[in-house]
């Protein structure tokens, strides 16, 4: 039980860093040119931005904590526990935006907390993967195919729907979560080269996920992107855990019913909280002081705001300071 608690604590630390990183990355992605959608040019543009690099650095720091969590706790518990990072973001949102959480936010936060507690009490034993290389390859190939589908469509000259891009990002991050568990297993058994290989593949999958997520943020508001990506990247590793890691729900109390109920409660709460206006407001606010002490640039309006705002022909263009996003308003 002590190892399980420490695993949850490590997962909370990892999720906090991931969430802060996603918030910073989302701020920059929304300002990138829309024609860079799903292109390496978008990545080249973003890596030159301090705020994007800071967010990426925080995410990288979170990965070792996730490995530690997976060494101590099963995947079906660690992956959903990453939702607790949203609670940290909610706290920051209240502190930085001067607003307080309402009944909606408190219900979502309560669902996450109860879900984590329930999953912790009913989680299956922590095991190392025993599946053969062939089965692992087939499962990961299927996950990778969905994650790369938006890029395949673009290569064929077709535009990937925003929903597909969001789901693709979730599958890419889900692949990263599975590979992280495989790396943790190999590390615990002294297979350092195999662990390093899985670590590199985790970085590659995360890069694909980041590019897909950034592309989705160009055409959809964070209030839509965040919950879809998070829920997808949570469900995918949990779904494959029985196939690869022998983490069977039937091995848990009452045939897995309490565990499934806890996971559903946790994921539902995370999805609701990710749509909170207070949390989205934080993701759209500059967390890093603007250089030279000047005031931060106003936020670009969302598509809905642009459509609902009447045109006025007598406005002095020189008085308008708000930047417009090309076509749009981060477990």
């Amino acid at each position: 039980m002590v190892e399980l608690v420490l695993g949850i604590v490590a997962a909370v630390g990892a999720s906090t860093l991931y969430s802060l990183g996603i918030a910073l990355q989302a701020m920059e992605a929304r300002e990138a040119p829309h024609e860079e959608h799903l292109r390496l040019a978008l990545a080249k543009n973003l890596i030159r931005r301090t705020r994007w690099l800071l967010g990426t650095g925080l995410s990288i720091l979170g990965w070792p904590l996730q490995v530690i969590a997976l060494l101590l706790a099963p995947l079906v518990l660690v992956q959903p526990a990453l939702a607790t990072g949203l609670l940290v973001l909610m706290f920051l949102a209240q502190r930085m935006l001067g607003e307080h959480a309402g009944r909606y936010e408190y219900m979502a936060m309560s669902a996450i907390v109860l879900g984590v507690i329930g999953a912790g009490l009913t989680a299956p034993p922590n095991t190392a993967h025993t599946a053969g290389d062939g089965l692992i390859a087939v499962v990961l190939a299927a996950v990778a195919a969905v994650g790369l589908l938006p890029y395949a469509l673009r290569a064929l000259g077709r535009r990937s729907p925003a929903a597909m891009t969001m789901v693709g990002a979730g599958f890419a991050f889900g692949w990263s979560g599975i590979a992280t568990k495989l790396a943790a297993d190999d590390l615990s058994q002294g297979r350092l080269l195999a662990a390093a290989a899985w670590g590199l593949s985790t970085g590659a999958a995360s890069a694909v996920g980041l590019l897909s997520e950034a592309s989705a943020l160009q055409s959809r508001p964070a209030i839509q992107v965040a919950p879809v990506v998070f829920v997808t990247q949570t469900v995918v590793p949990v779904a494959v855990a029985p196939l690869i890691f022998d983490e069977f729900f039937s091995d848990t109390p009452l045939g897995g019913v309490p565990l499934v109920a806890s996971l559903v409660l946790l994921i539902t709460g995370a999805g609701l909280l990710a749509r909170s206006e207070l949390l989205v407001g934080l993701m759209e606010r500059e967390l890093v002081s603007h250089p030279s002490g000047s005031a931060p640039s106003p936020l670009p309006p969302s598509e809905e705001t642009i459509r609902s705002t009447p045109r006025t022909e007598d406005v002095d263009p020189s008085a308008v300071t708000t930047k417009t996003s090309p076509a749009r308003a981060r477990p």
Side-chain angles (χ1 to χ4, degrees), residues 117-296:
I117 294 174
L121 294 175
T122 59
N126 186 27
T127 59
H129 67 274
T130 57
D133 293 340
L135 178 58
I136 294 176
V138 169
V139 171
L140 289 180
V143 175
V146 179
L148 295 173
L149 185 57
Y151 301 92
L153 290 177
R154 187 173 187 87
L156 295 173
R158 301 177 58 185
R159 182 170 181 81
S160 172
M164 184 176 295
T165 304
M166 289 185 278
V167 172
F171 267 79
F173 285 128
W175 203 102
S176 175
I178 298 168
T180 299
K181 170 61 175 174
L182 292 170
D185 287 351
D186 286 332
L187 186 63
S188 67
Q189 297 177 19
R191 297 195 291 263
L192 300 183
L193 289 179
W198 285 121
L200 291 175
S201 68
T202 297
S206 297
V208 173
L210 286 172
L211 182 57
S212 299
E213 186 177 49
S215 298
L217 286 167
Q218 289 185 300
S219 58
R220 288 292 184 271
I223 199 171
Q224 294 179 3
V225 176
V228 172
V229 173
F230 175 80
V231 171
T232 304
Q233 76 181 70
T234 300
V235 170
V236 169
V238 171
V240 306
L243 295 174
I244 300 179
F245 304 110
D246 291 338
E247 295 182 4
F248 296 103
F249 287 19
S250 58
D251 295 335
T252 64
L254 299 179
V257 174
L259 176 60
V260 172
S262 298
L263 294 177
V264 170
L265 185 63
L266 195 161
I267 294 172
T268 300
L272 292 174
L273 189 58
R275 294 181 60 86
S276 164
E277 294 182 0
L278 180 58
L279 187 58
V280 172
L282 173 67
M283 296 181 71
E284 295 179 341
R285 178 189 175 95
E286 289 198 359
L287 296 179
V288 180
S289 299
H290 194 274
S292 72
S294 58

Side-chain angles (χ1 to χ4, degrees), residues 79-98:
Q79 198 67 24
L82 297 178
T84 52
L86 296 175
L87 303 181
V88 177
L89 281 184
M90 182 59 64
F91 172 77
L92 291 177
Q94 295 185 74
R95 299 280 300 192
M96 298 184 67
L97 301 182

